């Protein structure tokens, strides 16, 4: 396999942006990534475009990539639409990586774009519900929230039982990620909040209050991946050390993120201790703790990790320096690229007030969908600066 | 690039099958393809799953592949959902081919599955409408038919003007494809009809009567692709000579199928005259003639080709021996694999009463979506028997 570099990155702000269109969001992210790489549309040899719910929310199903890239003058090349629920964008990035690593192409665009806001909020929630096996959805769904958050809540209660985690621990995740989001111009939210503030907020589904749940967002992210020959001058080169997509074992014998993480560490030839900073899929506050355990980042457990302060900016291993899904926002088909943009910025030393010192090696973990007690999909990437 | 072989194929019957589920259809096609290859689920290293409208029709968006393959015991591996409108299944096949050709994997599953029937027929038509840029859809859509068929009709009128094609020529396509469908146990339709029957049928949108339009269908197809080392014994080996995905040029300077076809001929090192039989995307009867021209199969034009009888079974170059979309049926996200299953059967000599004699080299062309006066996507595959 050949070396693959991230030549250019860009993202829109993640936020509720009801007046913006899928095309508009795509154009900002793609133009930004090409400009960042010092390349033009004619350099792009293929594009993989991640999206999850445009069909349900906007009616624009099936050919989002072609429809979004055409106004930018991108045509003729293979454009492939990719869907893997909340892991759609990182799956698109994985396919772009694979096309270059295997020698098929030399310059490939990975895009993630999502519009989730809809005048009828129930439609937004229903769309998210499509990320489970529909045969498992109870007929009498609670109104005003996503069924997926009910599943995360059940998993959180289970985690509390076996780990000793408390709602205060989940609130600690929110306090940290809101703080980080406040330092990130691309973030949907970001505020100085206390544990008390988080616990006193509106209850969504026990044990989660509102700020423990990732929000509905609109946004896009893009990256241009290239082979070694096409590395841009003038930008600190960031190389993809590992890219793994895994599905949950059919027999439930292992967590999908531990499988994806172990495969990524092996591909990169590193271990969890080598990672300087990481973005994980905190769709709910509890998930950050569980995922850190599954990725081997919490030898003493997720509870000890969050209480230690190690995952704060300035700590041993900052987790979700961008603010994570909770604060940066979670436009589901774009989130994976939001994570990748953050880690590439960190490795380049371009993360401004939230810069992790000496960030030489970073990781992203993007979950998708749910079945039984685990995600159905997990995508892990490891990046290094050269 | 390494050689890639089609080790196993299977498809469900394409038909209106309201009682069957996406899981059920997926299971039949995937189990059949594995059995055909003499392999089991544990041999599968990755899966690419094509679908177009399940989100709109069934609510099962985003993780159809994982949800469909899990009951078969397929997990852990990368499962990637692919959407390219009516070319979704052949795009999934392309990615599976690419993963093996480039050395990433040795045994990869390509799946296409679609349920289009819905108690509310308007929902089926609306779903198909998602395969155009939604900004181009007029607000006052005609009821009872797909907007896409209006676009095909406009294109057919244009073709009649420049080629001298008549409605009788479009009816000739229907007569041929219905005849072929009658010889295909997997086909939705198949009847001995006359040109007069076709012209006298209900008008859908000028110049198309009902049998000139591809029907709403449910169905699935699957293929197991392998590297040379894993070629099965006992089955005539079919090798993929070319696999190309193209998007329409943003400036409309060339037809997307002529681009995909030219690239495929170049990759395969052959020309149109070498092809023994071909499946093309006859979403409407007129499209068969236009596509044959764009693929270089009709040096004297599509009109002369259909009038000559050359494209009938027993003719110089049988086109749509399966019955094509018009008669075999068009479950949109599965159609590409329906085409591939037919050509592989032909090359193996296993097509029964519709067998093309001496079929040594076959081609499939699968179109997707529409913009201006052309499809947005075209996927071409060329296969040979060894």
């Amino acid at each position: 396999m050949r070396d693959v570099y991230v030549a250019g990155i860009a993202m829109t702000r993640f936020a509720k942006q009801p007046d913006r269109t899928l095309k508009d969001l795509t154009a900002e992210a793609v133009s930004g990534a090409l400009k960042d790489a010092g390349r033009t549309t004619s350099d792009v040899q293929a594009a993989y475009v991640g999206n999850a719910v445009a069909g349900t929310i906007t009616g624009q199903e099936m050919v989002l990539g072609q429809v979004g890239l055409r106004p930018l003058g991108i045509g003729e090349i293979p454009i492939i639409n990719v869907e893997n629920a909340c892991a759609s964008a990182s799956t698109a990035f994985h396919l772009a990586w694979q096309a270059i690593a295997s020698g098929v192409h030399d310059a490939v665009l990975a895009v993630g774009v999502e519009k989730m806001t809809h005048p009828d909020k129930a439609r937004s929630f229903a769309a998210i519900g499509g990320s489970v096996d529909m045969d498992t959805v109870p007929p009498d769904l609670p109104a005003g929230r996503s069924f997926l958050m009910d599943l995360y809540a059940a998993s959180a209660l289970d985690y509390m039982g076996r780990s000793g985690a408390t709602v205060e621990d989940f609130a600690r995740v929110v306090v940290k990620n809101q703080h980080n989001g406040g330092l990130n111009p691309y973030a949907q939210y970001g505020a100085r909040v206390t544990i008390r503030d988080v616990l006193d907020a509106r209850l969504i589904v026990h044990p989660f209050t509102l700020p423990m749940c990732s929000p509905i967002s609109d946004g896009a992210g893009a990256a241009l991946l290239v082979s070694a020959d096409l590395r841009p001058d003038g930008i600190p080169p960031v190389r993809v050390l590992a890219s793994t997509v895994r599905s949950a074992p059919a027999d439930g014998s292992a967590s999908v993120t531990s499988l994806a993480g172990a495969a990524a560490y092996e591909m990169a030839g590193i271990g969890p201790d080598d990672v300087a900073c990481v973005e994980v899929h905190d769709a709910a506050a509890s998930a950050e703790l569980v995922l850190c355990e599954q990725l081997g980042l919490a030898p003493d457990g997720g509870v000890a990790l969050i209480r230690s302060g190690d995952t704060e900016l300035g700590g041993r291993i900052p987790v979700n320096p961008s603010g994570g899904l909770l604060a940066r926002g979670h436009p589901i088909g774009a989130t994976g690229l939001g994570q990748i943009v953050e880690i590439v910025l960190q490795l380049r030393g371009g993360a401004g007030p939230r810069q992790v010192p000496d960030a030489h090696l970073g990781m992203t973990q993007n979950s998708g969908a749910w079945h039984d007690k685990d995600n159905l999909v997990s995508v892990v990437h490891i990046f290094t600066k050269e």
Side-chain angles (χ1 to χ4, degrees), chain A:
Chain A
M1 302 289 262
R2 304 192 301 169
D3 286 346
V4 179
Y5 291 84
V6 184
I9 48 160
M11 63 186 286
T12 68
R13 196 183 157 199
F14 285 1
K16 288 191 173 67
Q17 308 182 69
D19 296 336
R20 299 196 65 176
T21 64
L22 287 162
K23 283 181 188 169
D24 173 25
L25 294 164
T26 301
E28 181 183 337
V30 170
S31 302
L34 290 173
K35 190 176 169 196
D36 184 44
R39 296 280 166 183
T40 66
T41 53
S42 60
D43 296 315
V44 179
Q45 296 172 339
Y48 294 90
V49 181
N51 173 263
V53 298
T56 316
I57 297 287
T58 72
Q60 186 66 65
E61 184 132 57
M62 306 200 264
V63 284
L64 200 64
Q66 289 84 350
V67 165
L69 294 175
R70 192 177 170 90
L72 302 175
I74 299 179
E76 301 198 31
I77 61 167
I79 299 175
I80 290 165
N81 299 286
V82 179
E83 216 173 72
N84 247 348
C86 302
S88 296
S90 58
T91 300
F93 188 93
H94 167 79
L95 292 174
W97 165 83
Q98 188 168 290
I100 295 173
S102 63
V104 175
H105 296 297
D106 295 311
V108 180
L109 204 52
V111 184
V113 58
E114 200 73 81
K115 260 196 78 67
M116 296 176 71
T117 54
H118 190 276
D120 175 8
K121 213 169 177 177
R123 194 149 151 188
S124 300
F125 288 129
I128 307 168
S131 63
V132 297
D133 181 341
M134 296 306 282
D135 292 348
T136 67
V137 179
D140 51 341
L141 267 183
R145 67 171 191 258
S146 147
F147 175 55
L148 198 58
M149 210 43 70
D150 294 358
L151 298 173
Y152 269 105
S155 164
L157 292 171
D158 187 60
Y159 179 68
M160 291 167 85
R162 69 173 195 271
S163 71
T166 63
V167 285
E168 285 79 9
D169 292 317
F170 301 157
R172 282 185 180 93
V173 173
V174 176
V175 170
K176 169 179 73 68
N177 291 359
Q178 284 290 333
H179 171 265
N180 297 354
L183 303 175
N184 182 355
Y186 298 107
Q188 182 162 0
Y189 300 118
R192 295 205 161 275
V193 292
T194 65
I195 291 177
R196 193 72 261 156
D197 295 334
V198 177
L199 296 178
D200 287 348
R202 178 161 67 88
L203 188 74
I204 298 296
V205 49
H206 179 67
F208 297 149
T209 60
L210 182 65
M212 295 180 192
C213 305
S214 53
I216 285 174
S217 314
D218 307 312
L224 183 73
L225 290 82
V226 298
S227 57
D229 295 350
L230 299 183
R231 252 177 311 179
D233 300 324
I235 302 173
V238 170
R239 186 154 65 89
V240 185
L241 275 184
S243 177
T244 58
V245 176
R246 288 295 180 275
S247 306
D251 60 6
S253 57
S255 88
V256 65
T257 292
S258 63
L259 292 175
Y265 290 135
E266 190 188 335
M267 188 182 286
I270 65 149
D273 290 347
D274 299 313
V275 179
C277 55
V278 56
E279 292 274 314
V280 303
H281 195 87
D282 56 329
S286 54
E288 180 173 306
L289 307 183
V290 174
L291 292 167
C292 285
E293 292 183 8
Q294 292 172 344
L295 292 168
L297 300 169
D300 301 321
V303 176
L305 188 71
I306 188 68
R307 292 182 188 171
S308 69
D310 280 358
T311 58
E312 294 169 17
L313 283 174
R316 183 177 58 81
I317 173 161
V319 173
N320 287 325
S322 74
L325 280 59
L326 293 173
R328 187 198 55 234
H330 182 31
I332 58 182
T335 283
L337 272 157
Q339 296 178 319
I340 288 167
V341 165
E342 175 68 14
I343 292 300
V344 171
L345 283 177
Q346 291 286 352
L347 296 184
R348 285 182 181 178
R354 65 188 190 287
Q355 180 65 46
V356 174
D358 302 322
H360 54 286
L361 201 135
M363 181 162 71
T364 59
Q365 182 279 326
N366 191 195
S367 308
W370 197 271
H371 196 94
D372 293 339
K373 294 186 170 177
D374 195 12
N375 292 112
L376 263 179
V377 185
S378 190
V379 183
V380 173
H381 283 95
I382 300 175
F383 302 89
T384 185
K385 76 173 169 194
E386 293 214 317

